[in-house]
């Protein structure tokens, strides 16, 4: 997409994000930057916190990355002044990304007098799930939600939840996450090599939960379901990967000990080879009790891996009829869904997996999602031009 030709002048877009860790929201920003038409859009990124794990990768694309050094959830007068002072970058549009990033984008947009878009990347089942400082930002954002040109949600359920607490519905636009179907694809080589890395046989069934360690990802639900499944299928192994999901996570390791899962579980931490790990799974899982639009589901489906997911956010919409959907916080239901998929046999799971990949290609390809963002940016520029006329 970077090679598309256009005669229109290049417009500078400032992406102002809360952080640049390897979470789903941040990874979608990275994928959007990878796919944007550079002959039409010049991108600059500011992280309110630090460079995280994605700063270097974004700069490798030729996109400048700046940081402000905000401590998680702490907004200070110095931070506000730094946001106001970014006018030297002279953007034509500011795209906020996540709650704190949205507010900072709006503040910068007021002083620079340029259009502002908000990007909300999660559903909002209850403010009780959020840190007090984040909950305060969410509430305040609802009060000023008439200010941005548009509020982009990555899930229909996310839009609905936010509108219920006061986010202006006429500003709503839903653009789903997109998936790299050429990177995430079926691979017998990956299937074998990951099992070799884990020290398990090629015949061992592998169920995976990919995602950072956070209460809403509900690793407890996943592991309780694992203990139930092992009563009938004692040879199954479970793999978990993501930020904080490693040997240094004492609560998680204690839980594995308590549930007797140490010998059947593999904690791989934050990895850069997610396409490889995902393609090695027999079944992928999202066990969350709250979600927006889970990247890991679409990535697994793109790898032709059938999924068992909890019915939160747009997870059921993503999966369609290509997997299993169960209530959140219900390990018995999750274990039963896994049993159903195991009982399909290798051929049945393969057929379901191929249907899953076809669904992602049809509805959630990265190319189509990037095109929706670019169409939005063009419409904002056109609207601004008409206002000047």
């Amino acid at each position: 997409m970077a090679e598309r030709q256009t005669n229109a002048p290049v417009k500078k877009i400032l992406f102002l994000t809360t952080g640049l860790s390897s979470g789903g929201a941040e990874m979608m920003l990275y994928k959007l930057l990878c796919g944007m038409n550079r002959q039409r859009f010049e991108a600059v990124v500011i992280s309110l916190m630090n460079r995280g794990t994605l700063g270097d990768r974004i700069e490798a694309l030729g996109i400048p990355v700046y940081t402000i050094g905000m401590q998680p959830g702490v907004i200070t007068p110095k931070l506000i002044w730094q946001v106001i002072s970014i006018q030297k970058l002279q953007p034509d549009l500011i795209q906020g990304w996540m709650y704190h990033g949205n507010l900072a984008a709006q503040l910068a947009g007021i002083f620079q007098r340029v259009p502002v878009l908000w990007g909300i990347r999660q559903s909002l089942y209850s403010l009780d799930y959020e840190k007090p400082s984040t909950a305060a930002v969410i509430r305040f954002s609802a009060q000023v939600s008439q200010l941005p040109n548009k509020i982009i949600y990555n899930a229909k359920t996310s839009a609905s939840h936010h509108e219920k607490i006061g986010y202006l519905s006429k500003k709503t636009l839903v653009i789903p996450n997109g998936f790299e179907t050429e990177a995430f694809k079926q691979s017998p080589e990956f299937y074998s090599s990951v099992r070799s890395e884990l020290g398990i046989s090629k015949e061992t069934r592998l169920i995976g939960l990919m995602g950072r360690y956070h209460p809403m990802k509900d690793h407890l639900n996943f592991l309780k379901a694992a203990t139930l499944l092992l009563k009938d299928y004692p040879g199954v192994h479970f793999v978990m990967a993501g930020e904080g999901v490693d040997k240094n996570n004492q609560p998680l390791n204690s839980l594995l000990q308590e549930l007797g899962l140490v010998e059947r579980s593999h904690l791989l931490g934050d990895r850069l080879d997610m396409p490889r790990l995902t393609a090695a799974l027999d079944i992928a899982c999202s066990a969350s009790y709250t979600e927006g639009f889970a990247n890991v589901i679409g990535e697994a489906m793109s790898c032709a891996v059938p999924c068992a997911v909890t019915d939160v956010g747009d997870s059921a919409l993503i999966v369609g009829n290509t997997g299993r959907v169960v209530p959140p916080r219900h390990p018995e239901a999750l274990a039963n869904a896994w049993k159903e998929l195991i009982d399909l046999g290798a051929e049945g799971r393969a057929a379901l997996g191929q249907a899953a990949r076809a669904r992602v290609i049809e509805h959630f390809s990265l190319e189509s999602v990037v095109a929706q963002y670019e169409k939005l940016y063009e419409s904002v520029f056109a609207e601004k031009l008409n206002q000047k006329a």
Side-chain angles (χ1 to χ4, degrees), residues 47-203:
S47 168
L48 290 181
M49 295 197 295
N50 52 38
R51 295 175 65 86
T53 55
L54 292 177
D56 290 346
R57 295 174 67 181
I58 291 173
E59 282 200 336
L61 300 174
I63 296 172
V65 175
Y66 302 93
T67 61
I68 291 181
M70 178 184 82
Q71 295 301 310
V74 180
I75 299 176
T76 64
K78 180 181 178 182
L79 171 68
I80 294 173
W81 175 250
Q82 287 177 302
V83 170
I84 294 172
S85 300
I86 63 176
Q87 60 191 28
K88 62 182 180 180
L89 296 174
Q90 297 183 321
D92 297 293
L93 181 151
I94 302 177
Q95 167 76 75
W97 208 262
M98 301 185 289
Y99 294 122
H100 293 81
N102 291 332
L103 272 189
Q106 196 63 60
L107 179 62
I110 290 172
F111 282 88
Q112 300 194 40
R113 298 181 181 181
V114 297
V116 174
L117 302 172
W118 289 4
I120 294 179
R121 316 303 303 172
Q122 70 178 66
S123 289
L124 193 66
Y125 288 86
S126 172
L127 287 171
D128 294 337
Y129 294 159
E130 305 294 336
K131 296 177 182 177
S133 59
T134 301
V137 168
I138 293 170
R139 291 191 185 95
F140 180 73
S141 298
Q143 299 301 312
V144 298
S145 59
Q146 77 279 4
L147 296 177
N149 291 61
K150 287 289 183 181
I151 304 175
I152 308 167
Y153 301 92
N154 65 345
K156 293 179 180 179
T157 51
S158 176
S160 175
H161 292 162
H162 285 80
E163 288 168 4
K164 286 179 180 178
I165 65 168
Y167 283 70
L168 208 60
S169 60
K170 70 177 183 179
K171 300 287 186 174
T172 291
L173 178 66
V174 177
I175 301 180
N177 290 349
F179 304 102
E180 301 166 286
T181 56
E182 288 304 309
F184 287 87
K185 57 186 178 182
Q186 192 172 21
S187 170
E189 177 187 349
F190 291 165
Y191 191 90
S192 298
S193 68
V194 170
R195 279 164 173 72
S196 177
E197 175 188 338
L198 301 179
I200 59 179
S201 70
K202 294 182 180 179
E203 292 73 32

Side-chain angles (χ1 to χ4, degrees), residues 207-371:
I207 298 177
L209 178 67
M210 307 302 178
R212 63 193 171 100
Y213 187 72
H214 188 280
M216 73 178 187
K217 300 299 182 182
D218 210 348
H219 287 77
L220 177 61
N221 183 34
F222 178 81
L223 294 176
K224 283 185 174 180
T227 62
L228 295 172
L229 182 71
L230 288 174
K231 294 177 181 178
D232 297 317
Y233 300 91
V236 175
H237 278 236
F238 304 89
V239 62
M240 290 161 277
E243 186 178 359
V245 185
D246 53 36
K247 298 296 184 181
N248 296 320
N249 186 324
Q250 191 56 49
L252 183 57
N253 281 277
S254 296
L255 185 59
L256 293 177
Q257 289 280 357
E258 179 184 335
L259 296 175
L261 293 172
V262 174
E263 299 301 320
R264 289 287 180 269
S265 301
H266 308 270
L267 305 181
L268 304 186
D270 198 6
R271 298 278 293 249
L272 297 177
D273 59 344
M274 293 306 293
R276 173 174 171 264
L277 297 179
T278 304
L281 302 177
D282 292 289
I283 299 170
C285 178
S286 175
S288 305
Y289 60 72
T290 176
E291 273 291 355
F293 193 106
N295 284 320
V296 294
I297 298 174
E299 289 168 354
M301 292 170 64
S302 187
C303 289
V305 176
C307 298
V309 304
T310 49
D311 192 7
V312 294
D314 277 14
S315 295
L317 172 67
I318 303 169
V319 170
N321 62 357
T322 70
R324 298 293 185 271
V325 181
V326 301
R329 290 175 162 167
H330 198 316
E332 293 84 2
L334 185 56
N336 287 333
W338 291 345
K339 290 178 184 179
E340 290 180 13
L341 293 173
I342 291 173
D343 289 342
L344 287 177
E347 290 187 5
R349 288 194 300 277
L352 205 58
Q354 290 301 325
R357 177 170 171 81
R359 180 173 176 79
V360 168
I361 291 173
E362 180 179 359
H363 297 288
F364 307 114
S365 72
L366 182 59
E367 290 81 2
S368 67
V369 169
V370 172

